[in-house]
Amino acid sequence: MKLRVLYISLLMVTLLVVVIRCKQVYAPPAIKATNNYLVVDGFINTGANAVSSINLNRTRGLNDSTPSGIPELHAKISIVASGGAGYPLTDTAGNGTYTSAPLNLDINQRYSLEITTSDGRKYASDAVSCKRTPPIDSVYWRQPGDLTIYATTHDPANNTRYYRFDYLETWEHDANLQTPWIVVNGRITAADSLTQRSQCWTTVPSGNVLLANSTALSTDVINGFALTTIPYGDTRFNIKYTILVRDYALSEDAYNYWLLVQKTSDNLGTLFDLQPTQLLGNIHCTSNPSEAVIGYLSATSVQEQRIFIYRYYLNSWPHNDLTYGCDSISIPKNPADALIYTYPDTLYAPWYFITNGPLVLASRICLDCTLFGGSNKRPSFWQ
């Protein structure tokens, strides 16, 4: 019996070794494929004195670790009116985002987009009619525990029916320790509004496709549409928070396109992960009709509304300071010039001077809010 068990055990080990040696990594063709299709993301802004912005990227392959699309640089882009006028867009930042001059487009015309990439490939959209977006009635929040932000809008003429929302969140996050000093070229210098590191602001765009429609209603009303929910205790409300909500009127075809983007991106990730077999819009490659393109061009005005939320508005919202590592040390001032700074440990920075005493240093992580991201430049809209 023991010999039989031993025999079976040896046989199983032998088979396992054979299987492991014969096993090969399988890389299906879809993963090897580059699939760098053109993605056209943006719309023609038909508002008064409005700037249109179009982002051109290439999709990444399924095995590409690039966190976003690959910018399509040095392209030529124009908005073309049905009357024949053309309006160029330029990539002034060199990042694949092409913008127009401020325009006042005739909303009674139809518009298309024409693109020529640096390698000579040509693309064009279908001509689209202009939509007029009704004003946002209100943006408000409710906080039983988590905080949810809502938007309400309506069209008295019952002509819109299809809507897309997005938003920009901005919040202030300050350094744990405040200092008026910075070090420039080895000297302790008074900081100004451009060089200070005590106050920072982070701005983040919405990451989800937000769609609403009123087709099932007798009136064209979007009432209490939930934009985002922020978990209880989130540090975005430590000091002050603002959200800029934007609303776009869509055609039915545009709505259906964005609905497909919403469903597909929820499963795969971002717009640049999508494949044309999953998502085709109204933009085509005219130099090679068999080449697929991702994107849908709309021409619409934009409505905006901003609200601010202070932490003291909220119900028992905790303040979450990052208090770790805020140790301090004292060093003698330079006897020749107290503003000369030569302390070698870069983990520390000047905090304050003691009158007739030493210079106090603190952990840089507690003095420099930019180490946690964002910008030290105060936004123009900040109250």
Side-chain angles (χ1 to χ4, degrees), residues 149 165-171 202-207 241-246 248 304-307 381:
I149 299 172
F165 293 89
D166 65 17
Y167 56 83
L168 291 170
E169 297 176 284
T170 302
W171 62 92
T202 290
T203 297
V204 175
S206 50
Y241 166 98
T242 182
I243 184 169
L244 175 67
V245 178
R246 299 180 295 204
Y248 312 83
E304 299 180 344
Q305 191 169 133
R306 178 186 296 280
I307 63 169
F381 53 81

PDB file of all heavy atoms in Angstrom, residues 149 165-171 202-207 241-246 248 304-307 381:
ATOM      1  N   ILE A 149     -23.072  66.669  -4.038  1.00  0.00           N
ATOM      2  CA  ILE A 149     -23.307  67.938  -4.735  1.00  0.00           C
ATOM      3  C   ILE A 149     -24.247  67.673  -5.906  1.00  0.00           C
ATOM      4  O   ILE A 149     -24.063  66.710  -6.664  1.00  0.00           O
ATOM      5  CB  ILE A 149     -21.981  68.547  -5.205  1.00  0.00           C
ATOM      6  CG1 ILE A 149     -21.090  68.840  -3.988  1.00  0.00           C
ATOM      7  CG2 ILE A 149     -22.224  69.829  -6.005  1.00  0.00           C
ATOM      8  CD1 ILE A 149     -19.687  69.275  -4.335  1.00  0.00           C
ATOM      9  N   PHE A 165     -22.746  66.994 -18.069  1.00  0.00           N
ATOM     10  CA  PHE A 165     -22.134  67.836 -17.047  1.00  0.00           C
ATOM     11  C   PHE A 165     -20.671  67.443 -16.867  1.00  0.00           C
ATOM     12  O   PHE A 165     -20.292  66.288 -17.087  1.00  0.00           O
ATOM     13  CB  PHE A 165     -22.843  67.665 -15.694  1.00  0.00           C
ATOM     14  CG  PHE A 165     -24.254  68.164 -15.651  1.00  0.00           C
ATOM     15  CD1 PHE A 165     -25.313  67.323 -15.987  1.00  0.00           C
ATOM     16  CD2 PHE A 165     -24.535  69.468 -15.271  1.00  0.00           C
ATOM     17  CE1 PHE A 165     -26.628  67.770 -15.939  1.00  0.00           C
ATOM     18  CE2 PHE A 165     -25.840  69.921 -15.208  1.00  0.00           C
ATOM     19  CZ  PHE A 165     -26.886  69.078 -15.543  1.00  0.00           C
ATOM     20  N   ASP A 166     -19.864  68.389 -16.456  1.00  0.00           N
ATOM     21  CA  ASP A 166     -18.572  68.082 -15.861  1.00  0.00           C
ATOM     22  C   ASP A 166     -18.268  69.155 -14.831  1.00  0.00           C
ATOM     23  O   ASP A 166     -19.071  70.079 -14.615  1.00  0.00           O
ATOM     24  CB  ASP A 166     -17.457  67.922 -16.907  1.00  0.00           C
ATOM     25  CG  ASP A 166     -17.143  69.199 -17.672  1.00  0.00           C
ATOM     26  OD1 ASP A 166     -17.537  70.305 -17.219  1.00  0.00           O
ATOM     27  OD2 ASP A 166     -16.489  69.112 -18.727  1.00  0.00           O
ATOM     28  N   TYR A 167     -17.142  69.047 -14.156  1.00  0.00           N
ATOM     29  CA  TYR A 167     -16.840  70.022 -13.109  1.00  0.00           C
ATOM     30  C   TYR A 167     -15.345  70.069 -12.841  1.00  0.00           C
ATOM     31  O   TYR A 167     -14.577  69.164 -13.214  1.00  0.00           O
ATOM     32  CB  TYR A 167     -17.595  69.709 -11.812  1.00  0.00           C
ATOM     33  CG  TYR A 167     -17.357  68.333 -11.246  1.00  0.00           C
ATOM     34  CD1 TYR A 167     -16.239  68.052 -10.459  1.00  0.00           C
ATOM     35  CD2 TYR A 167     -18.264  67.290 -11.488  1.00  0.00           C
ATOM     36  CE1 TYR A 167     -16.027  66.794  -9.935  1.00  0.00           C
ATOM     37  CE2 TYR A 167     -18.053  66.022 -10.966  1.00  0.00           C
ATOM     38  CZ  TYR A 167     -16.932  65.780 -10.194  1.00  0.00           C
ATOM     39  OH  TYR A 167     -16.715  64.527  -9.674  1.00  0.00           O
ATOM     40  N   LEU A 168     -14.928  71.155 -12.197  1.00  0.00           N
ATOM     41  CA  LEU A 168     -13.573  71.325 -11.694  1.00  0.00           C
ATOM     42  C   LEU A 168     -13.654  71.560 -10.193  1.00  0.00           C
ATOM     43  O   LEU A 168     -14.351  72.467  -9.743  1.00  0.00           O
ATOM     44  CB  LEU A 168     -12.873  72.515 -12.362  1.00  0.00           C
ATOM     45  CG  LEU A 168     -12.518  72.377 -13.854  1.00  0.00           C
ATOM     46  CD1 LEU A 168     -12.054  73.734 -14.386  1.00  0.00           C
ATOM     47  CD2 LEU A 168     -11.435  71.334 -14.047  1.00  0.00           C
ATOM     48  N   GLU A 169     -12.956  70.736  -9.424  1.00  0.00           N
ATOM     49  CA  GLU A 169     -12.881  70.915  -7.975  1.00  0.00           C
ATOM     50  C   GLU A 169     -11.575  71.631  -7.628  1.00  0.00           C
ATOM     51  O   GLU A 169     -10.527  71.299  -8.180  1.00  0.00           O
ATOM     52  CB  GLU A 169     -12.867  69.573  -7.256  1.00  0.00           C
ATOM     53  CG  GLU A 169     -14.107  68.729  -7.427  1.00  0.00           C
ATOM     54  CD  GLU A 169     -13.920  67.391  -6.745  1.00  0.00           C
ATOM     55  OE1 GLU A 169     -13.207  66.533  -7.305  1.00  0.00           O
ATOM     56  OE2 GLU A 169     -14.478  67.201  -5.645  1.00  0.00           O
ATOM     57  N   THR A 170     -11.637  72.585  -6.713  1.00  0.00           N
ATOM     58  CA  THR A 170     -10.430  73.235  -6.201  1.00  0.00           C
ATOM     59  C   THR A 170     -10.539  73.315  -4.687  1.00  0.00           C
ATOM     60  O   THR A 170     -11.600  73.669  -4.161  1.00  0.00           O
ATOM     61  CB  THR A 170     -10.267  74.654  -6.777  1.00  0.00           C
ATOM     62  OG1 THR A 170     -10.227  74.583  -8.207  1.00  0.00           O
ATOM     63  CG2 THR A 170      -8.983  75.307  -6.275  1.00  0.00           C
ATOM     64  N   TRP A 171      -9.449  72.984  -3.993  1.00  0.00           N
ATOM     65  CA  TRP A 171      -9.473  73.103  -2.537  1.00  0.00           C
ATOM     66  C   TRP A 171      -8.126  73.621  -2.047  1.00  0.00           C
ATOM     67  O   TRP A 171      -7.088  73.423  -2.673  1.00  0.00           O
ATOM     68  CB  TRP A 171      -9.837  71.778  -1.869  1.00  0.00           C
ATOM     69  CG  TRP A 171      -8.894  70.650  -2.115  1.00  0.00           C
ATOM     70  CD1 TRP A 171      -7.814  70.272  -1.370  1.00  0.00           C
ATOM     71  CD2 TRP A 171      -8.950  69.707  -3.210  1.00  0.00           C
ATOM     72  NE1 TRP A 171      -7.199  69.171  -1.913  1.00  0.00           N
ATOM     73  CE2 TRP A 171      -7.875  68.807  -3.034  1.00  0.00           C
ATOM     74  CE3 TRP A 171      -9.818  69.546  -4.304  1.00  0.00           C
ATOM     75  CZ2 TRP A 171      -7.646  67.762  -3.930  1.00  0.00           C
ATOM     76  CZ3 TRP A 171      -9.578  68.523  -5.181  1.00  0.00           C
ATOM     77  CH2 TRP A 171      -8.503  67.638  -4.984  1.00  0.00           C
ATOM     78  N   THR A 202      -5.179  72.904  -5.006  1.00  0.00           N
ATOM     79  CA  THR A 202      -5.186  71.818  -5.980  1.00  0.00           C
ATOM     80  C   THR A 202      -6.485  71.865  -6.767  1.00  0.00           C
ATOM     81  O   THR A 202      -7.564  72.015  -6.185  1.00  0.00           O
ATOM     82  CB  THR A 202      -5.040  70.451  -5.287  1.00  0.00           C
ATOM     83  OG1 THR A 202      -3.713  70.331  -4.772  1.00  0.00           O
ATOM     84  CG2 THR A 202      -5.297  69.301  -6.256  1.00  0.00           C
ATOM     85  N   THR A 203      -6.387  71.748  -8.086  1.00  0.00           N
ATOM     86  CA  THR A 203      -7.557  71.716  -8.965  1.00  0.00           C
ATOM     87  C   THR A 203      -7.567  70.397  -9.724  1.00  0.00           C
ATOM     88  O   THR A 203      -6.555  70.004 -10.314  1.00  0.00           O
ATOM     89  CB  THR A 203      -7.542  72.888  -9.948  1.00  0.00           C
ATOM     90  OG1 THR A 203      -7.623  74.121  -9.224  1.00  0.00           O
ATOM     91  CG2 THR A 203      -8.719  72.810 -10.918  1.00  0.00           C
ATOM     92  N   VAL A 204      -8.711  69.718  -9.700  1.00  0.00           N
ATOM     93  CA  VAL A 204      -8.846  68.402 -10.326  1.00  0.00           C
ATOM     94  C   VAL A 204     -10.135  68.375 -11.147  1.00  0.00           C
ATOM     95  O   VAL A 204     -11.195  68.780 -10.654  1.00  0.00           O
ATOM     96  CB  VAL A 204      -8.879  67.284  -9.260  1.00  0.00           C
ATOM     97  CG1 VAL A 204      -9.129  65.931  -9.892  1.00  0.00           C
ATOM     98  CG2 VAL A 204      -7.573  67.268  -8.475  1.00  0.00           C
ATOM     99  N   PRO A 205     -10.086  67.909 -12.401  1.00  0.00           N
ATOM    100  CA  PRO A 205     -11.324  67.790 -13.194  1.00  0.00           C
ATOM    101  C   PRO A 205     -12.101  66.544 -12.810  1.00  0.00           C
ATOM    102  O   PRO A 205     -11.555  65.594 -12.234  1.00  0.00           O
ATOM    103  CB  PRO A 205     -10.799  67.686 -14.627  1.00  0.00           C
ATOM    104  CG  PRO A 205      -9.462  67.032 -14.480  1.00  0.00           C
ATOM    105  CD  PRO A 205      -8.892  67.538 -13.171  1.00  0.00           C
ATOM    106  N   SER A 206     -13.375  66.549 -13.139  1.00  0.00           N
ATOM    107  CA  SER A 206     -14.190  65.358 -12.913  1.00  0.00           C
ATOM    108  C   SER A 206     -13.673  64.223 -13.787  1.00  0.00           C
ATOM    109  O   SER A 206     -13.230  64.436 -14.913  1.00  0.00           O
ATOM    110  CB  SER A 206     -15.656  65.652 -13.232  1.00  0.00           C
ATOM    111  OG  SER A 206     -15.782  66.270 -14.515  1.00  0.00           O
ATOM    112  N   GLY A 207     -13.741  63.024 -13.258  1.00  0.00           N
ATOM    113  CA  GLY A 207     -13.214  61.878 -13.987  1.00  0.00           C
ATOM    114  C   GLY A 207     -14.280  61.032 -14.670  1.00  0.00           C
ATOM    115  O   GLY A 207     -13.949  60.172 -15.477  1.00  0.00           O
ATOM    116  N   TYR A 241     -13.328  74.762  -0.020  1.00  0.00           N
ATOM    117  CA  TYR A 241     -13.491  73.952  -1.235  1.00  0.00           C
ATOM    118  C   TYR A 241     -14.427  74.685  -2.177  1.00  0.00           C
ATOM    119  O   TYR A 241     -15.383  75.343  -1.748  1.00  0.00           O
ATOM    120  CB  TYR A 241     -14.064  72.593  -0.842  1.00  0.00           C
ATOM    121  CG  TYR A 241     -14.602  71.729  -1.969  1.00  0.00           C
ATOM    122  CD1 TYR A 241     -13.819  70.721  -2.520  1.00  0.00           C
ATOM    123  CD2 TYR A 241     -15.892  71.891  -2.468  1.00  0.00           C
ATOM    124  CE1 TYR A 241     -14.305  69.893  -3.526  1.00  0.00           C
ATOM    125  CE2 TYR A 241     -16.385  71.083  -3.471  1.00  0.00           C
ATOM    126  CZ  TYR A 241     -15.589  70.081  -4.005  1.00  0.00           C
ATOM    127  OH  TYR A 241     -16.077  69.273  -4.995  1.00  0.00           O
ATOM    128  N   THR A 242     -14.150  74.576  -3.473  1.00  0.00           N
ATOM    129  CA  THR A 242     -15.079  75.130  -4.454  1.00  0.00           C
ATOM    130  C   THR A 242     -15.225  74.154  -5.615  1.00  0.00           C
ATOM    131  O   THR A 242     -14.307  73.380  -5.919  1.00  0.00           O
ATOM    132  CB  THR A 242     -14.594  76.499  -4.980  1.00  0.00           C
ATOM    133  OG1 THR A 242     -15.554  77.031  -5.898  1.00  0.00           O
ATOM    134  CG2 THR A 242     -13.263  76.390  -5.680  1.00  0.00           C
ATOM    135  N   ILE A 243     -16.368  74.192  -6.244  1.00  0.00           N
ATOM    136  CA  ILE A 243     -16.615  73.370  -7.427  1.00  0.00           C
ATOM    137  C   ILE A 243     -17.232  74.252  -8.503  1.00  0.00           C
ATOM    138  O   ILE A 243     -18.160  75.025  -8.240  1.00  0.00           O
ATOM    139  CB  ILE A 243     -17.523  72.160  -7.098  1.00  0.00           C
ATOM    140  CG1 ILE A 243     -17.684  71.254  -8.325  1.00  0.00           C
ATOM    141  CG2 ILE A 243     -18.866  72.595  -6.547  1.00  0.00           C
ATOM    142  CD1 ILE A 243     -18.347  69.918  -8.010  1.00  0.00           C
ATOM    143  N   LEU A 244     -16.666  74.189  -9.700  1.00  0.00           N
ATOM    144  CA  LEU A 244     -17.207  74.871 -10.873  1.00  0.00           C
ATOM    145  C   LEU A 244     -17.916  73.831 -11.718  1.00  0.00           C
ATOM    146  O   LEU A 244     -17.275  72.921 -12.268  1.00  0.00           O
ATOM    147  CB  LEU A 244     -16.094  75.536 -11.678  1.00  0.00           C
ATOM    148  CG  LEU A 244     -16.522  76.190 -12.998  1.00  0.00           C
ATOM    149  CD1 LEU A 244     -17.431  77.391 -12.740  1.00  0.00           C
ATOM    150  CD2 LEU A 244     -15.321  76.589 -13.840  1.00  0.00           C
ATOM    151  N   VAL A 245     -19.223  73.944 -11.821  1.00  0.00           N
ATOM    152  CA  VAL A 245     -20.033  72.980 -12.574  1.00  0.00           C
ATOM    153  C   VAL A 245     -20.305  73.551 -13.959  1.00  0.00           C
ATOM    154  O   VAL A 245     -20.661  74.722 -14.105  1.00  0.00           O
ATOM    155  CB  VAL A 245     -21.353  72.690 -11.841  1.00  0.00           C
ATOM    156  CG1 VAL A 245     -22.217  71.728 -12.662  1.00  0.00           C
ATOM    157  CG2 VAL A 245     -21.067  72.105 -10.469  1.00  0.00           C
ATOM    158  N   ARG A 246     -20.127  72.711 -14.966  1.00  0.00           N
ATOM    159  CA  ARG A 246     -20.375  73.118 -16.353  1.00  0.00           C
ATOM    160  C   ARG A 246     -21.405  72.187 -16.977  1.00  0.00           C
ATOM    161  O   ARG A 246     -21.410  70.985 -16.710  1.00  0.00           O
ATOM    162  CB  ARG A 246     -19.071  73.088 -17.152  1.00  0.00           C
ATOM    163  CG  ARG A 246     -18.025  74.047 -16.599  1.00  0.00           C
ATOM    164  CD  ARG A 246     -16.734  74.017 -17.381  1.00  0.00           C
ATOM    165  NE  ARG A 246     -16.052  72.733 -17.289  1.00  0.00           N
ATOM    166  CZ  ARG A 246     -14.744  72.576 -17.475  1.00  0.00           C
ATOM    167  NH1 ARG A 246     -13.989  73.621 -17.740  1.00  0.00           N
ATOM    168  NH2 ARG A 246     -14.192  71.380 -17.385  1.00  0.00           N
ATOM    169  N   TYR A 248     -23.569  71.200 -20.717  1.00  0.00           N
ATOM    170  CA  TYR A 248     -23.529  71.258 -22.176  1.00  0.00           C
ATOM    171  C   TYR A 248     -24.801  70.622 -22.740  1.00  0.00           C
ATOM    172  O   TYR A 248     -25.141  69.489 -22.360  1.00  0.00           O
ATOM    173  CB  TYR A 248     -22.326  70.481 -22.725  1.00  0.00           C
ATOM    174  CG  TYR A 248     -21.020  70.766 -22.053  1.00  0.00           C
ATOM    175  CD1 TYR A 248     -20.678  70.119 -20.852  1.00  0.00           C
ATOM    176  CD2 TYR A 248     -20.099  71.656 -22.593  1.00  0.00           C
ATOM    177  CE1 TYR A 248     -19.457  70.356 -20.232  1.00  0.00           C
ATOM    178  CE2 TYR A 248     -18.882  71.901 -21.980  1.00  0.00           C
ATOM    179  CZ  TYR A 248     -18.567  71.255 -20.798  1.00  0.00           C
ATOM    180  OH  TYR A 248     -17.371  71.488 -20.178  1.00  0.00           O
ATOM    181  N   GLU A 304     -22.110  77.745 -16.761  1.00  0.00           N
ATOM    182  CA  GLU A 304     -21.283  77.461 -15.591  1.00  0.00           C
ATOM    183  C   GLU A 304     -21.910  78.033 -14.331  1.00  0.00           C
ATOM    184  O   GLU A 304     -22.614  79.036 -14.383  1.00  0.00           O
ATOM    185  CB  GLU A 304     -19.879  78.067 -15.750  1.00  0.00           C
ATOM    186  CG  GLU A 304     -19.085  77.552 -16.921  1.00  0.00           C
ATOM    187  CD  GLU A 304     -17.708  78.197 -17.000  1.00  0.00           C
ATOM    188  OE1 GLU A 304     -17.502  79.249 -16.334  1.00  0.00           O
ATOM    189  OE2 GLU A 304     -16.844  77.669 -17.716  1.00  0.00           O
ATOM    190  N   GLN A 305     -21.620  77.389 -13.219  1.00  0.00           N
ATOM    191  CA  GLN A 305     -21.983  77.937 -11.916  1.00  0.00           C
ATOM    192  C   GLN A 305     -21.001  77.395 -10.877  1.00  0.00           C
ATOM    193  O   GLN A 305     -20.673  76.215 -10.882  1.00  0.00           O
ATOM    194  CB  GLN A 305     -23.419  77.577 -11.527  1.00  0.00           C
ATOM    195  CG  GLN A 305     -23.912  78.351 -10.309  1.00  0.00           C
ATOM    196  CD  GLN A 305     -25.408  78.200 -10.072  1.00  0.00           C
ATOM    197  OE1 GLN A 305     -25.836  77.952  -8.944  1.00  0.00           O
ATOM    198  NE2 GLN A 305     -26.211  78.334 -11.119  1.00  0.00           N
ATOM    199  N   ARG A 306     -20.539  78.289  -9.996  1.00  0.00           N
ATOM    200  CA  ARG A 306     -19.559  77.928  -8.976  1.00  0.00           C
ATOM    201  C   ARG A 306     -20.150  78.132  -7.586  1.00  0.00           C
ATOM    202  O   ARG A 306     -20.848  79.126  -7.346  1.00  0.00           O
ATOM    203  CB  ARG A 306     -18.289  78.783  -9.122  1.00  0.00           C
ATOM    204  CG  ARG A 306     -17.232  78.480  -8.058  1.00  0.00           C
ATOM    205  CD  ARG A 306     -16.054  79.447  -8.161  1.00  0.00           C
ATOM    206  NE  ARG A 306     -15.339  79.318  -9.411  1.00  0.00           N
ATOM    207  CZ  ARG A 306     -14.445  78.375  -9.673  1.00  0.00           C
ATOM    208  NH1 ARG A 306     -14.162  77.466  -8.735  1.00  0.00           N
ATOM    209  NH2 ARG A 306     -13.826  78.335 -10.835  1.00  0.00           N
ATOM    210  N   ILE A 307     -19.855  77.205  -6.684  1.00  0.00           N
ATOM    211  CA  ILE A 307     -20.188  77.389  -5.268  1.00  0.00           C
ATOM    212  C   ILE A 307     -18.942  77.126  -4.428  1.00  0.00           C
ATOM    213  O   ILE A 307     -18.043  76.397  -4.835  1.00  0.00           O
ATOM    214  CB  ILE A 307     -21.341  76.477  -4.798  1.00  0.00           C
ATOM    215  CG1 ILE A 307     -20.953  74.994  -4.920  1.00  0.00           C
ATOM    216  CG2 ILE A 307     -22.623  76.781  -5.541  1.00  0.00           C
ATOM    217  CD1 ILE A 307     -21.937  74.056  -4.229  1.00  0.00           C
ATOM    218  N   PHE A 381     -10.138  83.202  -8.881  1.00  0.00           N
ATOM    219  CA  PHE A 381     -11.520  83.164  -8.419  1.00  0.00           C
ATOM    220  C   PHE A 381     -11.633  82.933  -6.904  1.00  0.00           C
ATOM    221  O   PHE A 381     -12.743  82.891  -6.368  1.00  0.00           O
ATOM    222  CB  PHE A 381     -12.297  82.064  -9.142  1.00  0.00           C
ATOM    223  CG  PHE A 381     -11.635  80.710  -9.073  1.00  0.00           C
ATOM    224  CD1 PHE A 381     -11.766  79.907  -7.949  1.00  0.00           C
ATOM    225  CD2 PHE A 381     -10.866  80.248 -10.136  1.00  0.00           C
ATOM    226  CE1 PHE A 381     -11.151  78.664  -7.870  1.00  0.00           C
ATOM    227  CE2 PHE A 381     -10.255  78.996 -10.081  1.00  0.00           C
ATOM    228  CZ  PHE A 381     -10.399  78.208  -8.941  1.00  0.00           C
TER     229      PHE A 381
END
